[in-house]
Amino acid sequence: MAVQHALQAVVDAAVTSTGAASGWILCARESELEVVAEHGAASIRGRRVSVDDGAAGFAFASGQPMAVAIPSADDRLHDGVHRWLPTVPTTVMSIPCTHLDQSVGVLQVVDKAGGAPFTFEDVELAAVLADVAGAALHGDAGAPAPPSPELLADGLRRVAQQEPASYPLLADIVQRLLASA
């Protein structure tokens, strides 16, 4: 249950910090990606898509983040998880959740406020959150030990130095996770 709380905190933070309307975390389950946490989405938890389907499939397979703004007439956003949403998103950001350089899932957020595109800063912050989700997803699968406290502290220091505007939000997320443990 602690893993589910952590995943929920990550997707909540990703949506809030990027100004997205909704988001979710997908976990790799053999040849599919399953929605395991959601924020603002239309009850899609438990739904599954192929690992090579849509923007989430691209991020999962390539191990690379993707942020796009596409007109709703473009069919590329009608695949994957998007088929279950009440409206087709116009902006999508998909970030692979990795553990030891292996994709274990995807953090995806859609529809940035005002129709604006997701920024490089959004991608950077979401990538940090996706790393947290990757550790949680891997740990949920019966993985060995999580990253050391030193490794996590180094990551927080790196964010504080390289993205000082993002650090307060990330620090708040970590504090909330610690308080719920």
Side-chain angles (χ1 to χ4, degrees):
M1 198 52 132
V3 168
Q4 185 58 43
H5 289 297
L7 294 173
Q8 190 62 52
V10 167
V11 74
D12 291 347
V15 168
T16 302
S17 66
T18 62
S22 59
W24 42 86
I25 294 175
L26 300 111
C27 178
R29 308 254 195 247
E30 297 177 16
S31 63
E32 296 180 309
L33 295 170
E34 179 183 351
V35 178
V36 295
E38 64 185 342
H39 177 102
S43 294
I44 59 172
R45 185 172 289 154
R47 300 271 186 142
R48 291 181 177 215
V49 296
S50 171
V51 294
D52 57 0
D53 198 6
F58 170 82
F60 179 80
S62 69
Q64 298 297 313
M66 175 179 144
V68 294
I70 299 179
S72 60
D74 192 320
D75 288 338
R76 289 180 289 176
L77 292 183
H78 293 265
D79 293 335
V81 174
H82 310 127
R83 74 183 72 154
W84 297 302
L85 300 178
T87 59
V88 177
T90 58
T91 56
V92 175
M93 180 169 55
S94 300
I95 309 290
C97 300
T98 61
H99 181 75
L100 301 176
D101 294 326
Q102 174 112 15
S103 290
V104 293
V106 176
L107 169 63
Q108 191 169 58
V109 294
V110 299
D111 289 332
K112 185 164 174 94
F118 289 104
T119 65
F120 180 74
E121 290 78 19
D122 292 331
V123 173
E124 288 290 310
L125 181 57
V128 171
L129 294 169
D131 285 346
V132 173
L137 290 170
H138 190 265
D140 193 34
S148 71
E150 293 79 17
L151 183 62
L152 291 176
D154 287 344
L156 286 171
R157 276 193 279 292
R158 187 178 68 247
V159 169
Q161 292 170 352
Q162 296 176 358
E163 296 290 333
S166 300
Y167 178 76
L169 177 64
L170 186 57
D172 182 54
I173 294 164
V174 171
Q175 282 182 312
R176 289 179 193 209
L177 288 172
L178 291 173
S180 70

